[in-house]
Amino acid sequence: MSSPEDDAVSPNNGVTEDVKVEESSLDVANKGVCMTSGNSRKLVKWSILCLLEPNFLESVKIAYVFGNGEEAILVTGNDDVYSLGINSKGCSGIDDTARTIGGDNCCYTPRKVDALCNKKIEMFVSGSGPHVLALTRSGEVYSWGGNTYGEVG
């Protein structure tokens, strides 16, 4: 069985499809994988995203999956930002550390990250701690998550 990383499009594997994976030796277990485009066929290969509504997935222009594949941040075409997952140390960017995966059937519930909406996010990266950074088109950097050693500023 192949993992989503095996099917991902990257500059190194010569595949040209709608979804572009931006990675420089990124390991989803430690750093994450960022996909851009509206190609929901590639996004549903990630278990954290597979149960989302197809119409919602079609609106996604950036999907950043990290934290062993248990967390994701999504940017839609209208520049809204959503997160879902285990929210380890607040890495989902929401006000509390409650998990956004839950319910009797383990449904995935994206939560809007108001502080990042309409910021024209271009990319995300994550690191140990864990923590996440977002880069905007204008060069602003936003950071959140674990800050044990001052990683998030």
Side-chain angles (χ1 to χ4, degrees):
M1 172 179 259
S2 65
S3 69
E5 301 95 300
D6 296 334
D7 295 323
V9 180
S10 71
N12 298 326
N13 66 12
V15 177
T16 55
E17 286 191 30
D18 292 334
V19 174
K20 178 179 78 174
V21 177
E22 300 169 4
E23 55 184 322
S24 54
S25 302
L26 294 182
D27 175 1
V28 72
N30 298 317
K31 304 281 194 237
V33 175
C34 186
M35 296 169 277
T36 59
S37 169
N39 188 335
S40 62
R41 289 178 299 126
K42 292 288 185 182
L43 297 180
V44 297
K45 293 185 180 210
W46 293 95
S47 60
I48 192 164
L49 304 176
C50 71
L51 295 178
L52 295 175
E53 292 290 326
N55 288 340
F56 178 78
L57 279 176
E58 285 296 325
S59 74
V60 172
K61 71 175 183 178
I62 298 173
Y64 184 67
V65 179
F66 61 103
N68 292 323
E70 296 178 340
E71 298 181 77
I73 301 176
L74 311 169
V75 181
T76 64
N78 63 357
D79 211 22
D80 285 335
V81 179
Y82 294 87
S83 65
L84 64 153
I86 62 172
N87 199 19
S88 177
K89 295 195 178 184
C91 282
S92 291
I94 53 178
D95 290 337
D96 59 39
T97 54
R99 294 172 182 242
T100 62
I101 298 175
D104 293 335
N105 62 353
C106 196
C107 67
Y108 293 69
T109 308
R111 294 177 66 181
K112 198 172 203 178
V113 185
D114 291 320
L116 296 175
C117 291
N118 301 310
K119 300 289 185 184
K120 302 196 182 324
I121 303 291
E122 291 289 319
M123 68 178 297
F124 297 97
V125 295
S126 58
S128 60
H131 60 278
V132 180
L133 297 113
L135 176 67
T136 68
R137 185 175 300 148
S138 65
E140 294 176 305
V141 176
Y142 293 86
S143 61
W144 63 93
N147 195 31
T148 304
Y149 303 104
E151 303 94 326
V152 297

